[in-house]
Amino acid sequence: MFPPTSPPPRFRTELARTLRLAGPLAAGHLSHGLVGFVDAVVAGHHGTATLAAVSVGAALFWLPMLAPMGTLMAVPPSVSQLDGSGRRAEIGPLFRQSLWLAAGLGVLLFALLSAVPALLGPMGIAPEIVPGVIAFLHAVRWGVPAFALYLAMRYLSDGLHWSLPTMLLGFGGLCVLAPTAYVLTNGLYGLPELGAQGIGIATSVMFWMQALGFALYLARSQRFADLRLFSRWDWPQWAVQRELLHTGLPIGVTITMEGGLFAVTALLIGRLGEVPVAAHQVALNVASICFMLPFGIAEATTVRVGHAFGRGDRDGLRRAAFAGFAIMLGTQAVSALLLLFGHGTVASLYSADPAVIALGGALLLYAALFQFPDGVQVVSAGALRGLKDTRVPMWLAVLAYWGVGMPVGAGLGLGLGWGPRGMWLGLTAGLTMAAFLLARRFLRSSLRMPMPERPTMTDAA
């Protein structure tokens, strides 16, 4: 499995380094997955209609958000390559440019989310949940600019092998979200009962507190003092912006293709009524939480591969990728077993409606099927990002998710009348194809891509 130039002791060292970086990253991503869990649990115990509204609203919120999230993922490989090649002085200016990019993306997404509610009628969303969807979107959109800025700051820290703030601020945000959402949704302490709107408001408050907390940390931490991150004001520099977009836009499209497959699946199921929508939200949220672990591993793999690439070490970047795959196989085995044997119990955490629990638990069995393909595809994509190989993987993702996953899901779920179960088989087919194509791409790129000259500095990775 491992290249002959990677003796076991060196691989074990790489495995340990990747684990140290991936642990807080995975925990930070898990905290973001738990945002959906908190929202769904609060909504589900408020009522099935509220859960259905938050389900559709969350799909319409996160689908456009995936584009800036992916685009800003150009920051970790850029930072890690600069760090690996001994060019730390260039990191501060790059970071300030990434803030401009994040601010622009945040404003653009705010405008887009403001227009989305007008499309609910033509989408065929069940009329009884439309008011709740609109209320949720109108509230949550105010947190979008803060979330984009938070991502830029987080990706800088992650790219420098320091992922602890991501974890701490992620779980700190949950401590704000859970009580605020519960109070606003149910109208406690004399406040009006806001339902889905209350969940949207609480999520926006959390995003702003996380962004302000990260900015304060970066400004005061001695770990980043030599980078002089906020030492001066820089106007946008179009050459740097173009470079970030050159790397980041294909990542954004790739992630949007995958997220879009899940989001459009939710919207198609939204035509079937409250119970299928609520059950799909239960299964999707659990699957999303499981996905946060390999996603964190993939980001750690991006950083480690980028650092090795920056110092001109081909064997090192392949060791970094294989270490990521090894860790991912462990996490996905745990997730698959949990979904296989605990699907009914997990579904019952979200709702008291027996119909929602039964269908949601059944869908979790389908989620167990794609745990390994999902892990392989996301870590492969992360390794490719470390090489800044993003354009061809973008087209491979389009083919896998929309050339295979969506036709299979729509054909089985709607054409043959299999309902949500057929749609989830389509998700499995798309992820399996993506896993094959992206893993194959990395194995080829890691052997053939031209390497930069090795810096004379000692590798301190």
Side-chain angles (χ1 to χ4, degrees), residues 361-379:
L363 295 181
L364 287 177
L365 291 175
Y366 292 90
L369 287 177
F370 63 62
Q371 289 306 299
F372 287 104
D374 204 13
V376 171
Q377 65 86 21
V378 72
V379 174

Side-chain angles (χ1 to χ4, degrees), residues 161-244:
H161 294 76
W162 185 238
S163 50
L164 186 61
T166 296
M167 180 181 71
L168 295 179
L169 286 168
F171 283 101
L174 290 176
C175 294
V176 173
L177 174 65
T180 306
Y182 187 75
V183 168
L184 294 178
T185 300
N186 295 286
L188 304 181
Y189 305 113
L191 295 172
E193 183 178 349
L194 298 178
Q197 182 184 20
I199 295 173
I201 293 172
T203 305
S204 290
V205 170
M206 179 195 68
F207 285 152
W208 277 106
M209 294 189 70
Q210 287 177 320
L212 294 173
F214 219 135
L216 185 63
Y217 172 76
L218 292 179
R220 295 189 174 185
S221 173
Q222 289 301 310
R223 179 178 291 271
F224 301 98
D226 67 303
L227 303 179
R228 302 174 61 83
L229 298 176
F230 300 106
S231 63
R232 70 184 193 204
W233 176 274
D234 288 345
W235 289 104
Q237 298 175 8
W238 303 119
V240 181
Q241 297 290 331
R242 280 195 301 271
E243 179 64 23
L244 286 171

Side-chain angles (χ1 to χ4, degrees), residues 7-60:
R10 297 187 70 185
F11 179 74
R12 287 198 297 268
T13 299
E14 182 60 50
L15 195 68
R17 288 172 173 169
T18 303
L19 269 171
R20 284 197 300 269
L21 180 60
L25 278 176
H29 279 298
L30 181 61
S31 71
H32 279 291
L34 290 174
V35 169
F37 171 77
V38 170
D39 288 350
V41 169
V42 172
H45 286 279
H46 185 262
T48 300
T50 305
L51 177 58
V54 171
S55 170
V56 175
L60 292 171

